[in-house]
Amino acid sequence: MYTVLKVARLPDMLSEGLHARYEVLECSESGSELDASKARGIRALVANGESRVRADLIGRLPDLQVIVVFGVGYDGIDVAAARARGIVVTHTPDVLTDDVADFAITLMLGTARRIAKADQFVRSGQWQQGPFGFTRKVSGARLGIVGLGRIGMAIARRAAAFDMRISYHGRRPLAVDYPYYASLTELAAAVDFLVIAVGGGESTRHLVDAKVLAALGSEGILINVGRGSVVDEAALASALAQGRLLGAGLDVFEDEPRPHPGLLALDNVLLAPHMASATWDTRRAMSDLTLANLAAHFSGAAYPTPIPD
Ligand code: DGY
């Protein structure tokens, strides 16, 4: 039986699948508790989309050949260190696209229509003192998408059904009909809703900074289903607190599971615990794909979903 090393909390359905097929060892992201004799012979490591697999952990595993990520994002994996050793990295794209796009729309509607506040308003009996205030219309509004990849495109398709006017920012213009903005600040200034659908890592760190938030403005709403690191969370909390931004809907945070404390006190931000892809169906599909990538490794077959070059 092959041994796999698990460095992340995984859903039971995947853990059970792993235990049924492999000997499973667990360790922390630092791997400091792994002694050399245990580390030897480990060819596969299982992580999730939020895991940090750094060069020092990779260095402790002399026989490592594959890092299998349960999630589409792999910004926590030191891909350069893995590649330098010829270690393959796989992830679970596509199967979660619908859920993440659905959740972006959920956050957009929920933030604009202040649904969490409205629920509280009814439960607390405040309704008996008078009506709830007005909220912001979504249909027909201008939507800027940051990152028009698989998930960004799925968001655009859904938003089109709300008659939203879509434009986007990314590294380069794509062969689509939506207007492209090379400057994110200019895109932010031109839209009502800005939705982040890019991954994390150094290249996107704090892409949404105080300047972009100022351009989005006091009538603007920011939605993030990409990675928390893309947004300067302190700048966001301050813009929301001072009414320089109308609202934000966030599924991801810079330091999960600890959102910036300034955000927790505000009622113009809708907070979710990184749950966009967490439906039964999708987590099952992600688990199956994770197991398929592992099986391919041990049987010498082509990996179903290696990360792109
Ligand atoms: C992903 O798949 O990257 C999601 O964000 C869950 O980690």
Side-chain angles (χ1 to χ4, degrees):
M1 207 182 225
Y2 296 115
T3 304
V4 301
L5 180 66
K6 182 179 138 182
V7 296
R9 189 185 294 175
L10 299 171
D12 289 348
M13 59 176 99
L14 176 54
S15 287
E16 284 159 16
L18 290 172
H19 282 280
R21 293 164 177 78
Y22 307 104
E23 188 186 336
V24 181
L25 282 184
E26 290 187 38
C27 81
S28 63
E29 288 175 344
S30 77
S32 55
E33 70 276 35
L34 256 191
D35 61 43
S37 64
K38 271 201 176 149
R40 217 163 299 119
I42 294 176
R43 285 164 48 187
L45 183 151
V46 186
N48 68 22
E50 295 95 59
S51 298
R52 280 176 296 263
V53 177
R54 303 292 189 222
D56 50 347
L57 174 59
I58 293 171
R60 286 174 193 275
L61 301 166
D63 299 319
L64 191 64
Q65 294 171 344
V66 65
I67 298 172
V68 175
V69 179
F70 170 79
V72 67
Y74 50 87
D75 47 292
I77 313 293
D78 190 334
V79 173
R83 288 210 162 125
R85 288 250 317 268
I87 296 166
V88 174
V89 181
T90 70
H91 65 151
T92 61
D94 301 317
V95 292
L96 47 64
T97 298
D98 282 342
D99 271 358
V100 179
D102 290 355
F103 205 71
I105 300 291
T106 304
L107 285 178
M108 192 162 67
L109 290 166
T111 305
R113 305 305 302 269
R114 310 198 74 196
I115 201 71
K117 184 84 185 149
D119 177 272
Q120 220 186 357
F121 187 80
V122 175
R123 285 174 202 273
S124 66
Q126 277 172 279
W127 194 11
Q128 288 147 37
Q129 271 83 66
F132 193 63
F134 297 145
T135 61
R136 191 186 206 304
K137 181 167 177 170
V138 173
S139 282
R142 298 165 301 172
L143 168 66
I145 300 177
V146 183
L148 205 59
R150 285 176 286 243
I151 292 171
M153 280 300 293
I155 294 169
R157 284 196 298 276
R158 283 155 176 77
F162 288 85
D163 298 324
M164 297 188 86
R165 288 160 287 157
I166 297 158
S167 44
Y168 71 104
H169 166 79
R171 269 175 303 197
R172 62 190 79 85
L174 303 169
V176 292
D177 287 338
Y178 310 126
Y180 171 73
Y181 285 77
S183 152
L184 176 52
T185 309
E186 281 173 26
L187 174 67
V191 298
D192 305 302
F193 293 86
L194 189 68
V195 176
I196 312 300
V198 282
E202 270 319 300
S203 63
T204 58
R205 195 179 138 68
H206 286 191
L207 207 57
V208 176
D209 57 10
K211 200 166 137 219
V212 171
L213 294 171
L216 190 54
S218 58
E219 297 297 311
I221 289 182
L222 178 78
I223 303 298
N224 192 359
V225 290
R227 278 290 181 265
S229 57
V230 179
V231 176
D232 179 340
E233 220 167 87
L236 174 63
S238 132
L240 286 166
Q242 294 170 14
R244 288 184 277 111
L245 193 69
L246 187 63
L250 310 171
D251 186 45
V252 286
F253 302 89
E254 283 199 80
D255 180 23
E256 295 177 10
R258 282 169 286 274
H260 188 285
L263 293 174
L264 301 177
L266 300 172
D267 68 3
N268 54 350
V269 58
L270 186 56
L271 306 169
H274 201 151
M275 59 181 280
S277 65
T279 63
W280 291 108
D281 303 37
T282 293
R283 288 291 158 101
R284 162 60 64 201
M286 289 165 66
S287 298
D288 290 348
L289 191 48
T290 302
L291 291 169
N293 276 301
L294 267 178
H297 174 75
F298 288 114
S299 68
Y303 293 100
T305 47
I307 63 167
D309 287 335

